[in-house]
Amino acid sequence: MKNNNLTAIYVRLSKEDINSGEGESESIQNQRSMLLDYAASKQWSVYEIYCDEDHSGAYAGRENTRPAFKRMIEDAKNGKFSIILCKSQSRFSRNMEVIEQYLHGRFIEWGIRFVSLIDNADTEVKGNKKARQINSLINEWYLEDLSENIKAVFHDKMKRGEFLAPFPPYGYSKDPCNKNHLVVNPNTAPVVKQIFEWHSEGYGAAIISRMLNDRGIPNPRKQQEKDGLRKTYYYSPDENGAWSATSVSDILHNQVYCGDVVQHVREKVSYKSRMTRKVDLEDRIIIRDMHEPIIDRSMFEAAQKRMERLRKAGGTGKVHILSGKVFCHYCGKAMQKNHSKGTNGDIQYLRCREKYNYSSKDKCPTPNIRIDRILEALQTELIYKLMDIVIYEMDDDTLTRALLKNTEDTYLKTAELNGLNKEKSALEKRLEHLYDDRLNEIISPEQYISYNKKYDQRLSDIKVRISSVKKELENNRRDAYENIKESVKKLLDTRCIDRELIEGLIDRIEFGEFDPETNRPVLKIFWAWE
C-alpha cells in the first residue's frame, strides 16, 4: 500500500535566479533546510532530495533536460512517493504549460500531491487551482521582464566591447585578470597565422584542413578539451580530432583575428524558447581594436575578397544553381562545387565536402558527379512531380507549403502565432473565472483589481500582435502562391531549371551512387511541401 506521507523534496537553482539577485535567498542549502524542517513538522518521511543546480525552469519541453527533475518524474510515475515538496511553484517550473501538464494533469492521474511553501500551492486543497494558475502566469511575466533586463545588461556590455561568449575563439585565451577580455594564446595563435598565410598562397579551406591533419595539429574542440575548458569530452586522449573545411572556413571568416569583438550574431526567438535566428549584419555589435590582433586587417580583408570570389560560380557573381542543396547520402555533409579541365572545356562537378579530409579507409564512398548530369536527372524528376501536382493536387495549401517550409520568417511567425493563441485562450478562461475567485474569497479585492488589469492589458497586446502576425503571414502566403504558380508554369513551358525554382521546391537532395544498369545518378529528393 502506498505511504501517503512519503515525500520527494525538489530543489533547483539556475543562472536566471543568480542574475536576478535572488541567488542567496534561493540557494540550494536554503531550500533544502526549509523543506526538511517543514516535512518534519508535518511528520512526512523524506524519500529523496532531488537537486538540479544551474538548470533553467523557463522552457516548455525542456524540463526533462534537468537530470534530477527527470528522475523525480519517473519515480512519481512509478509510485515511489506520494508528495512532491518545493519551496515555491517556480522552483518546479516557471512555465505555464509545464504546470498544467503535471500539477493539473499527470500528478492527478498518478496520485501525487504537490505542495509549495512560499506561495501556498497545494493540489489537495479544493479551490487552490486558480491561485496556482495565477502564480504560473505571474512567474511567466517575471521571467519575461527578467529576460529583457538581462538582455539589456548584456547589450550594454557588448557595446563596451566586453567579450561574453563562454569559450574564447581558437587562437585566443581569456585574460586571467578580466574574463571579458581576450589575450593571444601563444600555442594556437601561430596556427591561425599559418591558416591565413596558406590561404593567401592560394590554398583552399579543404586543402588547408588536410595540411593541418597531416601535421597532427589538434582541432579547435580538441584544443579546448586539452586546455580544460570543456566538461565533456568528444575525443579520447590519443586523438587529435580532425580539422574540416568548415572549421578552417570559420576561422578565415572570423573578424576577431584582426582585433575586433563581434557579438550579437544570433538571438533567441523568445525568452520561452531556445531556438535562435541569425541577426542581420547591420544589427550585429562590432567593436574594433579591443584586443591584440593575430593578423593585420589588410590580410583579413584580402581573405574575405578571395573567399567571395571562390563562392561565386564561374565569375558570374551568382551562387551556383545547386549550392547548399545537394548532400552526401553516407555522411550527410553538403557536397561542394569543384571544376576540372576536360577535352570539351571546363567541367563543373560536385564532391563530398569531407571526401579527401581523411585517410582512405575513412573516406565516403560517394562518387563525384558532374553538375550537368545531376541537373538532367533532376529536371525529369521535377517535371513528373509538378505535373502530378498540377493535374491531381493543385490546391492552395500544397502550393503554399512548397515555399513556406523553407522560409525562416514564416516558420518563426507561425510558431509565434501558435504561442499567442494558446496564451490568449488561457487568459480568456482566467478572466471568465476571476470574478468567481473574488466572490469565493480566493483572492483579495486588491489582487482582483491588479490581476484583472494585467490580464486585460496583456490580452489587448496579444490581440494586436495576433492581428499583425496574421497579416504578415497572409502576405507571405500570397507571395508564395504566386511564385510557385509561376515556377510550375515556367518549368512546364520551358523545361528549364533555375536557382529560384530549386530554392522554392526542394529542401535537399541526397546523392550516393549511380544506378549500375542505367548509369543515371540515384537521387533522394526531399520536396519542400512534404
mmCIF file of all heavy atoms in Angstrom, residues 464-483:
data_model
loop_
_atom_site.group_PDB
_atom_site.id
_atom_site.type_symbol
_atom_site.label_atom_id
_atom_site.label_comp_id
_atom_site.label_asym_id
_atom_site.label_seq_id
_atom_site.Cartn_x
_atom_site.Cartn_y
_atom_site.Cartn_z
ATOM 1 N N VAL A 464 -3.543 42.519 -30.569
ATOM 2 C CA VAL A 464 -2.913 43.404 -31.557
ATOM 3 C C VAL A 464 -1.815 42.655 -32.308
ATOM 4 O O VAL A 464 -1.716 42.728 -33.538
ATOM 5 C CB VAL A 464 -2.330 44.657 -30.869
ATOM 6 C CG1 VAL A 464 -1.465 45.460 -31.844
ATOM 7 C CG2 VAL A 464 -3.453 45.534 -30.329
ATOM 8 N N ARG A 465 -1.007 41.903 -31.554
ATOM 9 C CA ARG A 465 0.100 41.171 -32.184
ATOM 10 C C ARG A 465 -0.423 40.046 -33.073
ATOM 11 O O ARG A 465 0.117 39.803 -34.158
ATOM 12 C CB ARG A 465 1.035 40.603 -31.109
ATOM 13 C CG ARG A 465 2.252 39.861 -31.664
ATOM 14 C CD ARG A 465 3.062 40.736 -32.588
ATOM 15 N NE ARG A 465 4.146 39.992 -33.236
ATOM 16 C CZ ARG A 465 4.752 40.352 -34.337
ATOM 17 N NH1 ARG A 465 4.387 41.493 -34.952
ATOM 18 N NH2 ARG A 465 5.709 39.626 -34.867
ATOM 19 N N ILE A 466 -1.472 39.347 -32.643
ATOM 20 C CA ILE A 466 -2.053 38.278 -33.460
ATOM 21 C C ILE A 466 -2.530 38.828 -34.795
ATOM 22 O O ILE A 466 -2.289 38.243 -35.857
ATOM 23 C CB ILE A 466 -3.219 37.587 -32.708
ATOM 24 C CG1 ILE A 466 -2.669 36.673 -31.603
ATOM 25 C CG2 ILE A 466 -4.084 36.765 -33.668
ATOM 26 C CD1 ILE A 466 -3.729 36.040 -30.739
ATOM 27 N N SER A 467 -3.203 39.970 -34.743
ATOM 28 C CA SER A 467 -3.687 40.588 -35.975
ATOM 29 C C SER A 467 -2.529 40.938 -36.903
ATOM 30 O O SER A 467 -2.595 40.706 -38.119
ATOM 31 C CB SER A 467 -4.491 41.846 -35.626
ATOM 32 O OG SER A 467 -4.908 42.502 -36.799
ATOM 33 N N SER A 468 -1.472 41.475 -36.329
ATOM 34 C CA SER A 468 -0.306 41.864 -37.125
ATOM 35 C C SER A 468 0.368 40.648 -37.749
ATOM 36 O O SER A 468 0.708 40.649 -38.937
ATOM 37 C CB SER A 468 0.692 42.622 -36.242
ATOM 38 O OG SER A 468 1.878 42.900 -36.938
ATOM 39 N N VAL A 469 0.553 39.585 -36.960
ATOM 40 C CA VAL A 469 1.221 38.377 -37.460
ATOM 41 C C VAL A 469 0.382 37.725 -38.562
ATOM 42 O O VAL A 469 0.921 37.254 -39.569
ATOM 43 C CB VAL A 469 1.487 37.377 -36.311
ATOM 44 C CG1 VAL A 469 2.008 36.047 -36.862
ATOM 45 C CG2 VAL A 469 2.506 37.952 -35.337
ATOM 46 N N LYS A 470 -0.925 37.693 -38.390
ATOM 47 C CA LYS A 470 -1.800 37.100 -39.407
ATOM 48 C C LYS A 470 -1.682 37.838 -40.741
ATOM 49 O O LYS A 470 -1.651 37.219 -41.809
ATOM 50 C CB LYS A 470 -3.259 37.117 -38.923
ATOM 51 C CG LYS A 470 -3.589 36.023 -37.922
ATOM 52 C CD LYS A 470 -5.058 36.060 -37.543
ATOM 53 C CE LYS A 470 -5.434 34.903 -36.646
ATOM 54 N NZ LYS A 470 -6.860 34.953 -36.248
ATOM 55 N N LYS A 471 -1.600 39.167 -40.672
ATOM 56 C CA LYS A 471 -1.444 39.945 -41.905
ATOM 57 C C LYS A 471 -0.115 39.635 -42.582
ATOM 58 O O LYS A 471 -0.045 39.485 -43.805
ATOM 59 C CB LYS A 471 -1.545 41.441 -41.599
ATOM 60 C CG LYS A 471 -2.956 41.914 -41.263
ATOM 61 C CD LYS A 471 -2.971 43.398 -40.961
ATOM 62 C CE LYS A 471 -4.378 43.861 -40.597
ATOM 63 N NZ LYS A 471 -4.398 45.301 -40.235
ATOM 64 N N GLU A 472 0.946 39.531 -41.767
ATOM 65 C CA GLU A 472 2.269 39.224 -42.317
ATOM 66 C C GLU A 472 2.282 37.836 -42.949
ATOM 67 O O GLU A 472 2.868 37.634 -44.029
ATOM 68 C CB GLU A 472 3.315 39.320 -41.209
ATOM 69 C CG GLU A 472 3.532 40.741 -40.709
ATOM 70 C CD GLU A 472 4.363 40.796 -39.435
ATOM 71 O OE1 GLU A 472 4.814 39.719 -38.970
ATOM 72 O OE2 GLU A 472 4.558 41.891 -38.889
ATOM 73 N N LEU A 473 1.648 36.866 -42.294
ATOM 74 C CA LEU A 473 1.592 35.508 -42.836
ATOM 75 C C LEU A 473 0.772 35.452 -44.117
ATOM 76 O O LEU A 473 1.114 34.735 -45.061
ATOM 77 C CB LEU A 473 0.993 34.548 -41.797
ATOM 78 C CG LEU A 473 1.927 34.100 -40.669
ATOM 79 C CD1 LEU A 473 1.145 33.324 -39.624
ATOM 80 C CD2 LEU A 473 3.057 33.248 -41.213
ATOM 81 N N GLU A 474 -0.308 36.220 -44.159
ATOM 82 C CA GLU A 474 -1.149 36.232 -45.357
ATOM 83 C C GLU A 474 -0.383 36.832 -46.534
ATOM 84 O O GLU A 474 -0.497 36.346 -47.666
ATOM 85 C CB GLU A 474 -2.423 37.032 -45.096
ATOM 86 C CG GLU A 474 -3.400 37.080 -46.266
ATOM 87 C CD GLU A 474 -3.802 35.705 -46.771
ATOM 88 O OE1 GLU A 474 -3.899 34.771 -45.957
ATOM 89 O OE2 GLU A 474 -4.028 35.572 -47.996
ATOM 90 N N ASN A 475 0.398 37.870 -46.271
ATOM 91 C CA ASN A 475 1.219 38.453 -47.333
ATOM 92 C C ASN A 475 2.250 37.448 -47.838
ATOM 93 O O ASN A 475 2.472 37.316 -49.046
ATOM 94 C CB ASN A 475 1.933 39.710 -46.819
ATOM 95 C CG ASN A 475 0.983 40.872 -46.593
ATOM 96 O OD1 ASN A 475 -0.107 40.905 -47.185
ATOM 97 N ND2 ASN A 475 1.359 41.805 -45.739
ATOM 98 N N ASN A 476 2.887 36.724 -46.892
ATOM 99 C CA ASN A 476 3.857 35.690 -47.279
ATOM 100 C C ASN A 476 3.189 34.612 -48.116
ATOM 101 O O ASN A 476 3.731 34.133 -49.116
ATOM 102 C CB ASN A 476 4.485 35.056 -46.037
ATOM 103 C CG ASN A 476 5.497 35.966 -45.368
ATOM 104 O OD1 ASN A 476 5.759 37.059 -45.854
ATOM 105 N ND2 ASN A 476 6.066 35.511 -44.265
ATOM 106 N N ARG A 477 2.000 34.210 -47.674
ATOM 107 C CA ARG A 477 1.275 33.141 -48.354
ATOM 108 C C ARG A 477 0.884 33.554 -49.774
ATOM 109 O O ARG A 477 1.029 32.787 -50.732
ATOM 110 C CB ARG A 477 0.020 32.784 -47.554
ATOM 111 C CG ARG A 477 -0.805 31.677 -48.163
ATOM 112 C CD ARG A 477 -2.164 31.580 -47.469
ATOM 113 N NE ARG A 477 -2.993 30.647 -48.175
ATOM 114 C CZ ARG A 477 -3.610 30.900 -49.318
ATOM 115 N NH1 ARG A 477 -3.452 32.077 -49.896
ATOM 116 N NH2 ARG A 477 -4.355 29.991 -49.911
ATOM 117 N N ARG A 478 0.418 34.796 -49.900
ATOM 118 C CA ARG A 478 0.007 35.276 -51.209
ATOM 119 C C ARG A 478 1.197 35.340 -52.163
ATOM 120 O O ARG A 478 1.119 34.919 -53.320
ATOM 121 C CB ARG A 478 -0.641 36.659 -51.073
ATOM 122 C CG ARG A 478 -1.196 37.212 -52.388
ATOM 123 C CD ARG A 478 -2.043 38.454 -52.169
ATOM 124 N NE ARG A 478 -1.299 39.496 -51.470
ATOM 125 C CZ ARG A 478 -1.534 39.851 -50.210
ATOM 126 N NH1 ARG A 478 -2.475 39.244 -49.513
ATOM 127 N NH2 ARG A 478 -0.817 40.807 -49.636
ATOM 128 N N ASP A 479 2.332 35.846 -51.653
ATOM 129 C CA ASP A 479 3.533 35.902 -52.486
ATOM 130 C C ASP A 479 3.990 34.497 -52.871
ATOM 131 O O ASP A 479 4.399 34.252 -54.016
ATOM 132 C CB ASP A 479 4.660 36.614 -51.727
ATOM 133 C CG ASP A 479 4.365 38.092 -51.516
ATOM 134 O OD1 ASP A 479 3.480 38.622 -52.214
ATOM 135 O OD2 ASP A 479 5.014 38.702 -50.642
ATOM 136 N N ALA A 480 3.946 33.569 -51.890
ATOM 137 C CA ALA A 480 4.381 32.194 -52.158
ATOM 138 C C ALA A 480 3.498 31.536 -53.210
ATOM 139 O O ALA A 480 3.981 30.831 -54.100
ATOM 140 C CB ALA A 480 4.356 31.378 -50.858
ATOM 141 N N TYR A 481 2.208 31.774 -53.108
ATOM 142 C CA TYR A 481 1.253 31.171 -54.044
ATOM 143 C C TYR A 481 1.543 31.631 -55.478
ATOM 144 O O TYR A 481 1.610 30.821 -56.412
ATOM 145 C CB TYR A 481 -0.163 31.564 -53.634
ATOM 146 C CG TYR A 481 -1.239 31.020 -54.551
ATOM 147 C CD1 TYR A 481 -1.603 29.679 -54.487
ATOM 148 C CD2 TYR A 481 -1.889 31.838 -55.470
ATOM 149 C CE1 TYR A 481 -2.593 29.177 -55.320
ATOM 150 C CE2 TYR A 481 -2.867 31.353 -56.295
ATOM 151 C CZ TYR A 481 -3.220 30.015 -56.220
ATOM 152 O OH TYR A 481 -4.187 29.524 -57.048
ATOM 153 N N GLU A 482 1.762 32.929 -55.640
ATOM 154 C CA GLU A 482 2.037 33.456 -56.978
ATOM 155 C C GLU A 482 3.384 32.967 -57.501
ATOM 156 O O GLU A 482 3.523 32.628 -58.682
ATOM 157 C CB GLU A 482 2.006 34.996 -56.947
ATOM 158 C CG GLU A 482 0.646 35.583 -56.635
ATOM 159 C CD GLU A 482 -0.421 35.128 -57.632
ATOM 160 O OE1 GLU A 482 -0.100 35.012 -58.839
ATOM 161 O OE2 GLU A 482 -1.561 34.877 -57.201
ATOM 162 N N ASN A 483 4.380 32.908 -56.614
ATOM 163 C CA ASN A 483 5.706 32.460 -57.036
ATOM 164 C C ASN A 483 5.714 31.017 -57.504
ATOM 165 O O ASN A 483 6.331 30.675 -58.515
ATOM 166 C CB ASN A 483 6.709 32.619 -55.881
ATOM 167 C CG ASN A 483 7.064 34.078 -55.636
ATOM 168 O OD1 ASN A 483 6.840 34.926 -56.494
ATOM 169 N ND2 ASN A 483 7.596 34.359 -54.463
#
